Amino acid sequence: MSEAQPVEVDRDVVDFAIVGKWMDEQGLPGGEFEDVTPLGGGTQNIMLRFRRGGGEYVLRRGPKHLRAASNNVIKRESRILAALDGTGIRAPKVIAACPDESVIGASFYLMEPIVGFNPQNELPELHAGDPEVRRQMGLSAVEAIARLGSLDHEALGLADYGKPEGFLERQVPRWLKELDSYSANEGYPGPEIPGVQRVGDWLDRHRPADWTPGILHGDCHLANMMFSYDGPEVVAMVDWEMSTIGDPLLDLGWQIATRPEPGTTGAALVGTLGAVGGVPTVEEMIAHYGKFSDRDLSNVTWYSVLACFKLGIVLEGTYARAFAGKAPKQVGDFLHAITLELFDKAQRWME
């Protein structure tokens, strides 16, 4: 497919004639656009893979109908990924970024394609057939976030990437306010989630007093990890939309809270891997994190409860929007069931 030919992509989303001109201005190899392929993902952001001038690229931009924060999310993603380049952190490598929204109508960036699989979508025979490989997958994911949280974000030029002051203090009121906002969705009966206030109160009472700021991925469940086809290693953490500077132990809590347990609704988020299980125990995850971090792990239960609280409220947003016809009812019901599981889990851990 050449630049002069029509592409099977809405020009309102990506105009390849314009992208080609921009790439030329960046000094990237020219030529025809070939093998343009949409890539699926865990978000509504658009990703297109293509070849040009002997190079392979993935273009990432916000959804066709941009949300208020879409362009800012893409700009932040490209910034943190560029900062992580050369650190050894397993993340996509940015080739070039275009923060200027006027070029194609949205901010975008180009990154190198990732050779690996997402366990939400597939589980190769090697991984499906060996529980030890799956256990090592979980440990590799823990190592990835531990190494991320150990970086000096200021030395990487990310001092202003987030607002760590008061980060933990803000969490409960911030997410209760978010939950309250869902009532604006017509038909939503309000949050019918047993234990919301109880969990919030417990979090406020037991909040850790001392912690060290660092880089937080923010949504590091196993479906946001790409793994090697040849072994259990994480090759890249993806979907950095919720990344910030905060308390990196929330990433560990997030992985524990989303640990797939066969037979639960939440396990379905990780596809076949969630159904067959074999991931490490919570105790193994905590011990493994400690091999790559000198952070105090005595309050991991608190961070795991906070992860249940925060993620549960995030998922409830889709359930609320489904009442107003802004999301599929089936998806909303599925995510609401996971929210109930998360809050039940949080309350068991509190005890």
Side-chain angles (χ1 to χ4, degrees), residues 174 212 238 280:
R174 156 77 176 85
T212 303
V238 297

Side-chain angles (χ1 to χ4, degrees), residues 30-43:
E32 297 182 344
F33 285 84
E34 301 175 313
D35 300 331
V36 177
T37 307
L39 299 178
T43 72

Side-chain angles (χ1 to χ4, degrees), residues 9-69:
V9 176
D10 191 331
R11 288 171 65 93
D12 291 339
V13 174
V14 175
D15 187 324
F16 277 96
I18 295 175
V19 171
K21 181 174 182 294
W22 177 82
M23 290 179 68
D24 294 342
E25 293 169 353
Q26 309 309 307
L28 296 170
E32 297 182 344
F33 285 84
E34 301 175 313
D35 300 331
V36 177
T37 307
L39 299 178
T43 72
Q44 296 183 50
N45 289 321
I46 291 167
M47 291 192 293
L48 300 169
R49 182 170 181 164
F50 64 87
R51 292 192 296 118
R52 188 183 193 233
E56 293 193 44
Y57 305 87
V58 172
L59 182 150
R60 182 167 166 93
R61 57 149 287 171
K64 178 177 180 180
H65 301 292
L66 294 170
R67 300 186 289 268

Side-chain angles (χ1 to χ4, degrees), residues 36 41 44 49 64 85 90 146 156 165 222 240 249 307 309 312:
V36 177
Q44 296 183 50
R49 182 170 181 164
K64 178 177 180 180
D85 189 19
R90 294 176 178 179
L156 294 174
E165 299 80 8
L222 292 176
W240 290 75
L249 285 179
F309 180 84

Side-chain angles (χ1 to χ4, degrees), residues 19-306:
V19 171
K21 181 174 182 294
W22 177 82
M23 290 179 68
D24 294 342
E25 293 169 353
Q26 309 309 307
L28 296 170
E32 297 182 344
F33 285 84
E34 301 175 313
D35 300 331
V36 177
T37 307
L39 299 178
T43 72
Q44 296 183 50
N45 289 321
I46 291 167
M47 291 192 293
L48 300 169
R49 182 170 181 164
F50 64 87
R51 292 192 296 118
R52 188 183 193 233
E56 293 193 44
Y57 305 87
V58 172
L59 182 150
R60 182 167 166 93
R61 57 149 287 171
K64 178 177 180 180
H65 301 292
L66 294 170
R67 300 186 289 268
S70 292
N71 285 318
N72 188 49
V73 163
I74 294 297
K75 293 174 188 176
R76 284 175 57 82
E77 278 189 358
S78 62
R79 179 185 172 188
I80 194 168
L81 292 176
L84 292 175
D85 189 19
T87 64
I89 297 301
R90 294 176 178 179
K93 181 179 176 62
V94 172
I95 298 170
C98 181
D100 185 350
E101 301 162 20
S102 68
V103 175
I104 65 167
S107 301
F108 68 94
Y109 61 90
L110 300 179
M111 58 183 168
E112 293 181 353
I114 299 164
V115 180
F117 70 92
N118 182 323
Q120 185 179 42
N121 303 322
E122 63 176 308
L123 198 63
E125 185 176 344
L126 169 67
H127 306 72
D130 190 339
E132 178 57 21
V133 171
R134 299 195 296 274
R135 192 179 77 88
Q136 291 295 333
M137 287 173 68
L139 295 179
S140 182
V142 168
E143 176 184 345
I145 59 165
R147 291 188 182 278
L148 176 68
S150 297
L151 293 177
D152 184 339
H153 63 282
E154 294 184 351
L156 294 174
L158 296 171
D160 62 343
Y161 190 73
K163 298 176 181 177
E165 299 80 8
F167 176 78
L168 294 185
E169 289 82 357
R170 288 196 302 271
Q171 294 304 303
V172 170
R174 156 77 176 85
W175 292 102
L176 286 178
K177 182 178 180 181
E178 179 78 5
L179 186 61
D180 287 342
S181 74
Y182 298 160
S183 295
N185 290 281
E186 186 176 355
Y188 178 57
E192 297 174 351
I193 309 169
V196 170
Q197 196 60 53
R198 179 171 180 249
V199 174
D201 291 344
W202 184 91
L203 287 167
D204 278 339
R205 288 198 311 273
H206 295 85
R207 184 172 55 243
D210 299 310
W211 58 279
T212 303
I215 300 173
L216 188 73
H217 178 281
D219 193 17
C220 55
H221 53 74
L222 292 176
N224 277 341
M225 303 272 177
M226 301 288 287
F227 291 87
S228 169
Y229 283 106
D230 300 323
E233 297 81 15
V234 170
V235 293
M237 295 184 282
V238 297
D239 285 352
W240 290 75
E241 294 181 40
M242 294 173 69
S243 61
T244 189
I245 306 302
D247 189 336
L249 285 179
L250 181 53
D251 272 349
L252 176 58
W254 204 269
Q255 284 202 355
I256 291 171
T258 59
R259 176 183 174 273
E261 301 173 13
T264 64
T265 306
L269 285 174
V270 203
T272 304
L273 176 59
V276 297
V279 295
T281 65
V282 171
E283 292 74 21
E284 288 174 321
M285 294 169 72
I286 296 169
H288 199 68
Y289 190 98
K291 294 179 181 179
F292 305 95
S293 172
D294 59 3
R295 294 180 181 274
D296 178 5
L297 300 179
S298 62
N299 289 307
V300 170
T301 296
W302 187 88
Y303 293 97
S304 303
V305 172
L306 175 59

